[in-house]
Amino acid sequence: MEFAGFQLRNNLFVAPMAGVTDRPFRQLCKKLGAGLAVSEMVTSNSLLYGSAKTLRRANHDGEVEPISVQIAGADPKMMAEAARHNVDNGAQIIDINMGCPAKKVCNVMAGSALMQHEQLVGEILDAVVGAVPNTPVTLKFRTGWNIANKNAPNIARIAESAGVRAVAIHGRTRCQQYTGEAEYDTIAYVKTLVKIPVIANGDITTPEKAKFVLDKTGADGIMIGRAAQGRPWLFREIEHYLKTGEKLPPAPVAEIHAILMAHLDDLYAFYGVETGVKVARKHISWYTKGLIGSAAFRKVMNTLPTLEEQRTAVDSFFLRYAEEHAHLQYEDNKTAEEALAA
């Protein structure tokens, strides 16, 4: 896919997720089939540029290009400065967050709260595009603020007029958070209004659902977030299905074991051992959620304080699991999607 001046492997995007899409996770998703992975949200507050969290989020050493960095804020001048700062530090695409529904973000009028103020949206987009004229700017937002105010079509037209190169739309309003089901009619309508690429996001959990959403919306690509937590190989499954119309066989337990162990090593190296062990716990939980016999393992694993104990516990669990099962088996005959959604 040609996207914002870059040639991507495909039209599958990793959604930016705070606390999830760090460099190790982005690299893993790209290795396993994603065409582009957007960074975690980076603050536009220059006072925090030197904080450990912001520095980690801006760390792209060795990452497969293009490097897309998402910035968040509500002040046009600060957002423009944040764009320049991140481009100076390696960003090749600047993505603007107007989709995050979290209260702590919306309470400072950032994220999806901005959709209530279309004039301010235009000012922010004009400022950012103008600040980095040689760097493509993209925008992520929702269908609207609430059900009665689905103004995604207006926001998309404002974005195109400002020179934004592509938009990604989550099929829920801000007030819906992540409840209910995503709808795609609004995304399909936006696609008829603008000439820039439109990426569809929301509830894409299987290869079949990916094809359905592409067909339903006419979107140029799809963006996957929560469904890839603990299941980064979903991207290669979707890539294969879209190319061939056939589903890949399930990954063997031994391969998933190897993927997870490599992921853990990357986390330890990226965060340092102490923080890495803590961050790794949530990923291990996602990888094993819903698996037959995994509840007791997770309970113990979350109490283990050292890298060595954590790695040994994961090794032991998956080696035993591989002896009993060729592929991952979920409780109550659930699919992986059902188990992860539970």
Side-chain angles (χ1 to χ4, degrees):
M1 177 186 183
E2 195 284 326
F3 180 79
F6 294 92
Q7 194 66 34
L8 305 183
R9 164 177 177 167
N10 55 38
N11 61 346
L12 308 181
F13 295 73
V14 185
M17 296 176 284
V20 181
T21 48
D22 53 21
R23 192 185 73 193
F25 187 76
R26 294 195 304 271
Q27 289 177 315
L28 179 57
C29 289
K30 289 177 181 179
K31 180 180 178 181
L32 292 175
L36 181 72
V38 184
S39 78
E40 296 179 86
M41 183 172 60
V42 176
T43 180
S44 61
N45 185 347
S46 60
L47 296 177
L48 300 176
Y49 286 171
S51 72
K53 179 184 288 188
T54 299
L55 288 172
R56 272 200 304 267
R57 290 185 174 184
N59 185 328
H60 309 285
D61 294 346
E63 190 168 350
V64 175
E65 297 182 350
I67 307 301
S68 178
V69 176
Q70 187 179 77
I71 61 174
D75 180 271
K77 291 183 180 178
M78 290 177 67
M79 289 287 280
E81 180 55 38
R84 281 190 289 263
H85 172 80
N86 281 283
V87 168
D88 289 344
N89 284 276
Q92 296 168 301
I93 299 172
I94 293 294
D95 186 58
I96 298 175
N97 182 322
M98 292 189 189
C100 180
K103 287 184 179 179
K104 67 178 182 180
V105 175
C106 289
N107 284 345
V108 294
M109 205 48 67
S112 55
L114 287 166
M115 295 189 70
Q116 298 174 97
H117 307 281
E118 293 181 6
Q119 181 176 339
L120 179 57
V121 168
E123 292 171 0
I124 290 172
L125 298 181
D126 286 340
V128 172
V129 171
V132 288
N134 297 317
T135 301
V137 175
T138 60
L139 174 66
K140 187 170 190 289
F141 53 103
R142 288 183 165 237
T143 55
W145 173 251
N146 56 31
I147 296 295
N149 295 279
K150 289 190 175 181
N151 62 334
N154 290 350
I155 300 295
R157 282 184 288 226
I158 292 169
E160 184 174 46
S161 178
V164 167
R165 298 282 293 276
V167 295
I169 306 173
H170 183 103
R172 289 181 175 88
T173 66
R174 186 272 164 188
C175 289
Q176 286 178 285
Q177 301 270 324
Y178 296 101
T179 62
E181 294 183 358
E183 59 92 359
Y184 308 109
D185 289 337
T186 303
I187 301 174
Y189 180 51
V190 168
K191 177 58 186 170
T192 69
L193 299 177
V194 296
K195 294 183 174 62
I196 57 176
V198 175
I199 311 302
N201 174 227
D203 292 354
I204 300 170
T205 57
T206 66
E208 295 92 335
K209 187 65 174 289
K211 185 177 188 308
F212 168 81
V213 172
L214 284 170
D215 291 345
K216 170 78 173 177
T217 62
D220 301 277
I222 54 174
M223 180 173 278
I224 299 168
R226 292 172 296 156
Q229 294 174 358
R231 197 172 151 225
W233 53 89
L234 176 61
F235 292 99
R236 75 178 181 195
E237 293 177 346
I238 293 174
E239 179 183 53
H240 182 80
Y241 185 78
L242 294 178
K243 284 182 177 179
T244 68
E246 299 176 353
K247 294 189 69 172
L248 281 173
V253 171
E255 182 187 10
I256 291 169
H257 181 190
I259 290 171
L260 174 53
M261 296 306 289
H263 190 178
L264 296 183
D265 288 340
D266 284 346
L267 290 172
Y268 303 144
F270 184 67
Y271 287 99
V273 171
E274 184 177 354
T275 301
V277 166
K278 295 175 183 177
V279 172
R281 287 175 185 152
K282 63 185 176 186
H283 288 279
I284 297 168
S285 293
W286 287 327
Y287 275 83
T288 59
K289 185 178 180 181
L291 292 180
I292 292 173
S294 65
F297 158 73
R298 283 194 300 278
K299 185 175 181 180
V300 172
M301 182 272 299
N302 283 327
T303 68
L304 301 177
T306 69
L307 178 157
E308 292 78 14
E309 290 173 299
Q310 189 176 74
R311 286 185 102 264
T312 298
V314 172
D315 251 339
S316 298
F317 174 80
F318 275 95
L319 287 171
R320 286 197 309 271
Y321 207 91
E323 291 176 355
E324 300 173 9
H325 308 285
H327 309 291
L328 299 183
Q329 301 291 320
Y330 294 90
E331 294 173 351
D332 302 323
N333 294 317
K334 289 181 178 178
T335 64
E337 305 82 55
E338 291 169 337
L340 291 170

